[in-house]
Amino acid sequence: MADAPIGIFDSGYGGLTVARAVLDQLPHESIAYFGDTARAPYGPRPIAQTREFALECLDRLVDHGVKTLVIACNTASAAVLHDARERYDVPVVEVIRPAVRRAARATRNHRVGVISTQGTHQSSAYVDAFAAAPHLQVTSVPCPRFVSFVEAGQTTGPEVIEVARDYLRLLVEGDVDTLVLGCTHYPLLTGAISYVMGDGVTLVSSADETAKDVYRVLADRDALRDPALPPPTHGFTTTGDAQAFQALARRFLGPEVGDFHGDGSVVRTAAVVRP
């Protein structure tokens, strides 16, 4: 199984930042990415439907023969983590707890902020995960327009900064010294977020922390891929429009993304990346 790919699932595009972090931290590993873009976003959906869709997609990755599963979607992590760990024989990593653990270690004044989508904010998934650290004061703020900015390629400029100031005002006034980026789109906005929050605030990327967790899980199981093997290949599958996925994949992953093929109605879009 050491030569099997790492399976990464997201309801849309944000999980590509997790894929990027995995590529950076585990350059010898292959990945298989599944984005359910045709049914995204999951946030507004009933939790039972989110669970159904997420498990369907995770089943496909397991059938593909992955050696570990990464639920790179905050909404799906909150909805199906327990079910997934009981359902599959491979280890399952999600995006919420790794970031929470890092933030709890990083804070100096015990004031932590969390920014996320409206759906994740309403689920209280991050606040609940911080329950194990009752000495921390946690403030959660939804930042729904951030996703739209990222997917439109608008990560800088006066409008982005103005919206960031509006969203983050409560956290600045609350003197938080550590901020969890609780949506996998948000690492692409770290420049604007850091500018508004100030240099003294530590930003915790759920994508980076999740990749570290993947590394730990594979190392503990002696399942890291042998660097002496041929270069890894990386496959990407989407349930949505192939061209739209390709354009955003290049934005999230970088110019080394290869060609995509698919018709947008059948789950067969794929690409090869060689870092």
Side-chain angles (χ1 to χ4, degrees), residues 54-146:
L55 290 175
E56 177 187 317
C57 297
L58 293 170
D59 284 349
R60 288 177 180 266
L61 284 171
V62 170
D63 290 344
H64 185 70
V66 299
K67 62 183 176 182
T68 189
L69 284 170
V70 181
I71 306 176
C73 171
N74 287 272
T75 303
S77 291
V80 304
L81 178 61
H82 179 72
D83 292 340
R85 285 181 170 164
E86 288 192 344
R87 187 182 184 96
Y88 307 116
D89 292 331
V90 297
V92 180
V93 177
E94 46 80 40
V95 292
I96 295 173
R97 287 166 184 80
V100 166
R101 288 196 300 267
R102 173 60 180 153
R105 292 193 300 268
T107 183
R108 302 173 303 280
N109 68 3
H110 299 169
R111 297 178 182 179
V112 176
V114 177
I115 55 175
S116 64
T117 63
Q118 189 70 45
T120 299
H121 171 73
Q122 290 176 343
S123 76
S124 299
Y126 276 92
V127 174
D128 291 346
F130 274 109
H135 62 289
L136 299 181
Q137 178 182 326
V138 181
T139 304
S140 176
V141 175
C143 303
R145 288 189 64 189
F146 280 177

Side-chain angles (χ1 to χ4, degrees), residues 142-158:
C143 303
R145 288 189 64 189
F146 280 177
V147 170
S148 301
F149 282 142
V150 169
E151 293 192 355
Q154 188 177 352
T155 57
T156 187

